[in-house]
Amino acid sequence: MDSKALFERAQEVIPGGVNSPVRAFNAVGGTPIYVARGAGARMWTVEGQELIDFCGSWGPLILGHARPEVVEAVIRAASNGSSFGINTEAEVEFAELLCELIPSMDMVRLVSSGTEAVMTALRLARGFTSRRKIIKFDGCYHGHADYLLVSAGSGLLTGGMTSSAGVSPSAVAEVLVPPYNDLDAVRAIMAEEGDDVAAIIVEPVAGNMGLVPPAEGFLQGLRDVADECGALLIFDEVINGFRLGATTYGAQCGVTPDLTCLGKIIGGGMPIGAVGGREEVMKSLAPLGPVYQAGTLSGNPVAVAAGHMTLSLLRDENPYSAIEAKGRRISEEVTAAAKAKDVAMHCPHLGGMFTPFFTEGPVTDLASAKCCDTKAHAVFFHNMLDRGFYLPPSQFEVGFVSAAHTDDDITAFIAAAVESL
Ligand code: KE4
């Protein structure tokens, strides 16, 4: 059955035909693809079209699809039982590995998604500080918990929404939303409400309005203002974690958060999330402390096996400088090609993360991201897809180079991008 027929069938039984809105191709138009299998940097659609994948399942697949060692670890774990709902040695070893690789992480709680990790972190912050307010940034996306669906990025921004139906005004009344990279706006909020702000949560490198790195001094400024007001600083590293090195972005940039949320890469493609940080804060979590949190499949042995193998390979193989070099090539050569063809597009990168922004100006926050010509992006997306390259189907997401992409893949990508502009 081809993608078109599958999508028609899917829409009969799944809302919008998808299990996550961004997969519906609404931002780029056309029928969404259906994938039959993946291997390394490639995926094959149900029609048999070979695609070089630069979405990487929205980030988890930094080692590429079906990395043999990860597959074997999953098979080995699953053959011993998929879930027990009671403790295993594997989850202890994985928690120890996370705390070994992330200096700011004294303790960690495993969950099953990035959304769960963020929900837990914010409940922890409110419980630990006995405060109610949260600061999150315009255009950052932290999963789909009610109170975070306010001026969020990713699928909401892609769909032109800034919040969601079904979210009660009271749920978001205590969420304050300054522009990303605007430290003065944060200080102004803190001057008014600082004594009731439980936490500032931020994507240290924003990835849900496209790639928007922190301005010089922004993260340290957040650390300082959080300390001045007694609020916690939470780094949502669901995208950033293990992206630029075998640790967190916080560890690499030298700004230490109180809590870090993880997901994506740490599960190696399996459902996993984690929240960890200062022991004093983490010990507020049940059953030790008064902040409740739970999960049937938390610390699931199959997901933990995939994550442990993935992080071990990243630590031992250290593919990051090779990934960065490939990301740099894409950024420099695609941006140069757009300039040469007088196309209003530039393609910043950070490590293996990149976004082709269809706008003249720099993108430093949500307002500037919204200047992008999403129609031009959609044309580029399909031109690339027709040439066998799969990018995230949204202007407000990030493309990912993996350890599985070869130099030839990058050369071919750039050639196709030049033709597609
Ligand atoms: P999940 O609940 O989807 O595992 O994680 C939520 C989340 C939290 N924090 C950040 C910084 C995130 O980027 C995400 C999820 N990312 C999106 C894509 N940018 C997931 C794709 C989708 O929603 O289908």
Side-chain angles (χ1 to χ4, degrees):
M1 188 166 276
D2 70 4
S3 296
K4 191 169 180 312
L6 277 169
F7 190 46
E8 280 161 13
R9 232 172 89 192
Q11 291 173 83
E12 292 302 311
V13 287
I14 305 172
V18 292
N19 283 308
S20 198
V22 279
R23 304 178 192 173
F25 273 27
N26 291 342
V28 293
T31 301
I33 61 171
Y34 278 71
V35 168
R37 70 180 184 92
R42 282 156 176 74
M43 298 191 298
W44 286 266
T45 67
V46 291
E47 289 87 356
Q49 185 191 6
E50 178 178 307
L51 299 172
I52 302 183
D53 179 18
F54 286 88
C55 185
S57 181
W58 307 96
L61 299 176
I62 193 168
L63 292 177
H65 293 280
R67 173 74 187 253
E69 298 91 328
V70 177
V71 173
E72 281 152 28
V74 165
I75 291 169
R76 206 165 34 248
S79 59
N80 290 325
S82 58
S83 177
F84 308 104
I86 190 67
N87 315 311
T88 65
E89 183 178 4
E91 66 192 315
V92 179
E93 291 171 335
F94 189 52
E96 288 170 340
L97 179 61
L98 286 169
C99 294
E100 175 201 331
L101 296 175
I102 304 170
S104 64
M105 205 165 272
D106 301 332
M107 304 190 94
V108 62
R109 171 65 57 88
L110 298 177
V111 294
S112 297
S113 71
T115 294
E116 264 195 277
V118 170
M119 282 171 61
T120 304
L122 291 171
R123 188 178 309 130
L124 250 178
R126 284 171 157 163
F128 182 75
T129 62
S130 302
R131 296 178 174 187
R132 295 170 307 155
K133 296 202 171 67
I134 301 287
I135 291 178
K136 73 152 307 264
F137 291 90
D138 218 6
C140 284
Y141 178 73
H142 301 290
H144 62 91
D146 275 7
Y147 47 89
L148 289 167
L149 291 179
V150 51
S151 197
S154 186
L156 281 151
L157 184 54
T158 296
M161 305 158 73
T162 56
S163 184
S164 167
V167 174
S168 75
S170 60
V172 296
E174 295 168 338
V175 180
L176 307 162
V177 188
Y180 189 77
N181 275 327
D182 188 341
L183 212 40
D184 291 342
V186 176
R187 290 198 180 101
I189 290 173
M190 289 308 232
E192 290 292 311
E193 327 232 10
D195 58 0
D196 194 22
V197 172
I200 300 171
I201 185 167
V202 67
E203 293 179 57
V205 176
N208 287 292
M209 37 187 154
L211 176 66
V212 181
E216 184 66 35
F218 177 59
L219 297 177
Q220 186 57 53
L222 294 181
R223 177 71 274 172
D224 297 343
V225 76
D227 289 342
E228 287 154 23
C229 300
L232 298 190
L233 179 61
I234 300 173
F235 278 178
D236 177 346
E237 297 219 21
V238 170
I239 287 182
N240 300 156
F242 295 91
R243 181 74 52 202
L244 303 169
T247 186
T248 54
Y249 185 81
Q252 291 181 286
C253 76
V255 177
T256 302
D258 298 292
L259 295 175
T260 297
C261 304
L262 296 166
K264 295 186 194 273
I265 288 176
I266 71 161
M270 296 295 285
I272 210 167
V275 51
R278 278 171 47 203
E279 183 174 350
E280 179 192 14
V281 179
M282 292 300 292
K283 284 191 165 179
S284 304
L285 266 183
L288 213 49
V291 178
Y292 192 70
Q293 179 275 336
T296 303
L297 296 176
S298 295
N300 173 268
V302 181
V304 162
H308 197 124
M309 180 56 74
T310 297
L311 298 193
S312 300
L313 289 168
L314 289 170
R315 178 196 56 197
D316 301 345
E317 296 180 351
N318 189 12
Y320 295 101
S321 54
I323 289 173
E324 198 282 339
K326 294 181 175 89
R328 178 177 303 280
R329 274 191 65 199
I330 287 178
S331 175
E332 291 174 352
E333 296 185 43
V334 171
T335 301
K339 189 171 167 56
K341 297 178 84 169
D342 201 20
V343 172
M345 187 273 259
H346 63 293
C347 184
H349 85 106
L350 186 64
M353 296 184 282
F354 65 92
T355 298
F357 283 117
F358 282 80
T359 179
E360 282 295 353
V363 176
T364 58
D365 58 14
L366 182 60
S368 46
K370 283 183 170 178
C371 295
C372 287
D373 179 345
T374 52
K375 289 187 174 47
H377 172 270
V379 170
F380 179 75
F381 170 86
H382 280 290
N383 286 347
M384 291 297 282
L385 188 60
D386 292 346
R387 288 166 174 78
F389 297 88
Y390 182 63
L391 282 163
S394 161
Q395 169 66 94
F396 306 114
E397 296 285 357
V398 175
F400 298 102
V401 176
S402 77
H405 288 100
T406 65
D407 285 325
D408 287 348
D409 292 336
I410 302 306
T411 302
F413 177 91
I414 292 163
V418 173
E419 288 173 7
S420 299
L421 285 170

